[in-house]
Amino acid sequence: MRPQRLVDAVLFDTFGTAVDWRTGVAQAVSQFTSEVDPNEFALAWRGRYQPSMAPIRAGEREFVDLDVLHRENLEATAAEFGLDLGNSDPSDVDHLNRAWHRLSAWPDSTPGLTELKREFIVGPLSNGHTALLTNMAKHAGLPWDVIIGSDFTRTYKPDPNAYLRTAEVLRLPPHRVMLCAAHNADLAAAKDVGFRTAFIPRPTEYGPAQREDLHATGVWDVLARDVVDLATQLREHASA
């Protein structure tokens, strides 16, 4: 009798867990302008990410996708840094805003996902919408089996529906789905709705000054060094 796999699908937080957003966004900023520190601008732009989604999660605003929120946050961040986007070619501003579509994977992501997909369904469970995640996958070489964007779930993590609706699309009960993330709060929300959980550290996600999510702070099903190690541990579990 074949050993029981722990789950059927292993889904991934994407920004920060599967891809290195800070480096990619900072590079795009540096190509757009020399008037600001690109790393500081990238961090400030990202800092508006969760607050911008809060009204949608609270039902105070209709769902809009991340391209809209990123553009609003870009304009606010530019104003904060004294950068006048009105002096730039609109197509250049649009290209900068779509930097989030062109992020590169961490070195272990693609080989780890390639190993995982031999046994499991792999895909993102991200606040990104389907087009963004598809463009990112093509750019970064992420070998997803399936992409279910937030435009399907119509909400943003950590709203429970972001996780549950994704499982429903896959026709899987929550306990047969694992979320892998570098963020303890994301894993806590997934665990609360019945998902299995795996933590991998990304201690340089926010740069050398990062103070949060340096290690696991919850009781997760798997603690892995990286995505390759996660694949190894899940494979060993199935053969035990």
Side-chain angles (χ1 to χ4, degrees):
M1 179 177 178
R2 185 176 181 179
Q4 176 68 39
R5 293 182 302 185
L6 186 62
V7 292
D8 296 305
V10 183
L11 306 182
F12 285 77
D13 168 69
T14 305
F15 298 112
T17 301
V19 300
D20 176 7
W21 61 264
R22 180 177 59 87
T23 299
V25 172
Q27 288 175 345
V29 172
S30 68
Q31 292 166 0
F32 178 78
T33 181
S34 60
E35 296 180 28
V36 301
D37 181 291
N39 190 63
E40 292 302 317
F41 192 96
L43 291 171
W45 192 0
R46 177 67 174 183
R48 297 178 182 273
Y49 176 75
Q50 287 292 344
S52 70
M53 292 182 287
I56 296 172
R57 288 193 293 258
E60 298 167 359
R61 181 180 184 182
E62 290 294 320
F63 179 84
V64 295
D65 68 34
L66 272 193
D67 284 350
V68 174
L69 295 181
H70 278 151
R71 180 57 180 262
E72 294 172 354
N73 296 340
L74 170 59
E75 292 173 355
T77 305
E80 175 188 346
F81 278 70
L83 183 64
D84 186 359
L85 296 179
N87 292 329
S88 301
D89 187 313
S91 64
D92 290 340
V93 179
D94 289 340
H95 185 72
L96 173 59
N97 192 55
R98 289 172 62 87
W100 301 91
H101 293 230
R102 304 186 303 274
L103 303 176
S104 295
W106 296 107
D108 58 280
S109 292
T110 296
L113 290 172
T114 300
E115 285 300 311
L116 280 168
K117 69 181 294 173
R118 297 178 189 274
E119 295 289 335
F120 307 95
I121 298 166
V122 294
L125 204 172
S126 170
N127 288 326
H129 58 82
T130 302
L132 183 157
L133 294 170
T134 301
N135 292 337
M136 182 193 298
K138 294 295 285 185
H139 177 85
L142 299 172
W144 303 129
D145 290 310
V146 62
I147 295 175
I148 303 168
S150 58
D151 45 331
F152 279 80
T153 63
R154 306 296 290 179
T155 190
Y156 289 117
K157 299 184 297 179
D159 184 322
N161 286 318
Y163 309 93
L164 293 173
R165 290 173 184 164
T166 301
E168 289 172 4
V169 171
L170 294 175
R171 300 295 192 267
L172 291 173
H175 72 277
R176 299 303 301 168
V177 181
M178 172 176 281
L179 176 68
C180 178
H183 312 118
N184 287 281
D186 198 358
L187 293 177
K191 184 177 180 179
D192 283 346
V193 300
F195 274 38
R196 297 282 195 167
T197 53
F199 177 82
I200 61 170
R202 297 299 191 193
T204 62
E205 177 186 357
Y206 285 88
Q210 182 168 324
R211 296 293 179 267
E212 296 184 356
D213 293 318
L214 297 176
H215 54 80
T217 59
V219 181
W220 315 130
D221 294 288
V222 179
L223 303 180
R225 293 186 303 273
D226 53 29
V227 184
V228 174
D229 184 43
L230 174 63
T232 299
Q233 291 194 48
L234 291 180
R235 184 172 60 249
E236 289 175 349
H237 179 277
S239 62

